[in-house]
Amino acid sequence: DIQLTQSPSLLSASIGDRVTITCRASQGINNYLAWYQHKPGRAPRLLIYPATSLKSGVPSRFSGGGSGTEFSLTISSLQPDDFATYYCQQVYSHATITFGQGTRLEIK
Amino acid sequence: EVQLLESGGGLVQPGGSLRLSCAPSGFSLSYFAMAWVRQAPGKGLEWVSSISGSGDTQYYADSVQGRFTISRDDSLHLQMNDLRDEDSGIYYCAKYVESWWQPVFDLWGQGNLVTVSS
C-alpha cells in the first residue's frame, strides 16, 4: 500500500501568516494527490486535485505543489475560516485508498 | 441543494451488526462510484470501502474485509457485521468526482456516528 506522511502534525499560526503543509508518498504517484479541509462536525471539503489544481470555488490563497513523492499545500495568508485539519490523499491506487494522518492548523 | 443524507448509525455491542445508508438529494447516484470513509475518535480519515458505479466491483480496507459489505441501489449501503471496538467512529459516505480509476471525493455526507461498546 502507498503510505502518506504529512508534516507537521500540528501547526500553530496567526491570521495573515503564510503556512505550508507537506505530504510525502512512499512511492511515486505522479500528480495523483488530493487535499481536503476538515472541520469538526462538518463533512470534509475537497480543495485541490490533481496536486496543483485548485477546485472551483476554493479561495486563491490556497495552492498545491509537487509531484512524484513530495507535495505541499500552502495557504498564502491565513484567514479565520482556515483553521481546520488538512489531509492529503493519494489517488494513484484506486483499489487501496490512503490518506495522510492529517495536519491540525490552530490559532497561535 | 445537492446532498448525501446518511442514516443507520447508533450504539451496538461488540459482535453486533449495523447497516448504514446514504441517500442522495438533488441528484442521482447512478453511474457514480461511491465510498465509505470513517474517522475514529481522535484519529484521521480512513478509507473503508468503495463500489463502482455499476455495483459490480467492490474494494475493502484490510481492517474490514470479510466483515463489512458495501452495496447500492438508489442509495448506498454498508452492512457492518462482527463489529469491534475499533470500528467506532464517524462514518461518511462520499461520491467520486468522476472516474472509478481516480478516487477523488467531491461530495460527502454529514457523517453518522457508530459506537461499539458493551
Side-chain angles (χ1 to χ4, degrees), chain B residues 40-118:
Chain B
K43 303 295 185 181
L45 299 176
E46 178 192 18
W47 168 75
V48 172
S49 180
S50 290
I51 187 167
S52 62
S54 63
D56 60 0
T57 303
Q58 305 88 32
Y59 293 127
Y60 298 93
D62 290 344
S63 57
V64 306
Q65 180 76 49
R67 300 187 298 121
F68 289 13
T69 302
I70 191 171
S71 63
R72 64 187 299 158
D73 40 40
D74 292 335
S75 296
L76 178 71
H77 308 283
L78 186 68
Q79 178 66 42
M80 304 186 293
N81 297 331
D82 188 24
L83 283 161
R84 306 167 180 170
D85 290 352
E86 57 265 32
D87 294 318
S88 294
I90 299 172
Y91 283 69
Y92 298 95
C93 58
K95 170 189 157 295
Y96 281 51
V97 171
E98 292 179 357
S99 167
W100 169 239
W101 305 103
Q102 293 185 20
V104 184
F105 309 122
D106 66 342
L107 183 66
W108 298 65
Q110 80 279 10
N112 209 336
L113 181 62
V114 171
T115 303
V116 184
S117 175
S118 54

Side-chain angles (χ1 to χ4, degrees), chain A:
Chain A
D1 296 357
I2 299 172
Q3 307 301 317
L4 297 176
T5 303
Q6 286 183 235
S7 61
S9 296
L10 175 63
L11 181 56
S12 298
S14 302
I15 301 297
D17 283 355
R18 177 185 179 91
V19 299
T20 297
I21 299 167
T22 63
C23 178
R24 176 174 297 156
S26 59
Q27 67 182 73
I29 57 172
N30 296 325
N31 65 343
Y32 295 116
L33 189 98
W35 288 97
Y36 298 87
Q37 178 191 65
H38 192 202
K39 297 181 179 180
R42 304 277 296 274
R45 175 192 182 195
L46 176 65
L47 299 175
I48 290 171
Y49 180 74
T52 61
S53 296
L54 205 62
K55 186 178 182 294
S56 175
V58 175
S60 58
R61 62 181 180 273
F62 290 88
S63 63
S67 67
T69 61
E70 299 282 338
F71 301 88
S72 63
L73 172 69
T74 296
I75 309 173
S76 61
S77 177
L78 276 173
Q79 299 302 303
D81 191 49
D82 300 338
F83 293 95
T85 300
Y86 292 85
Y87 295 92
C88 57
Q89 179 220 333
Q90 64 84 12
V91 186
Y92 188 82
S93 167
H94 76 286
T96 306
I97 297 164
T98 49
F99 293 87
Q101 81 276 18
T103 295
R104 185 160 68 93
L105 178 55
E106 67 172 23
I107 299 175
K108 184 185 289 184

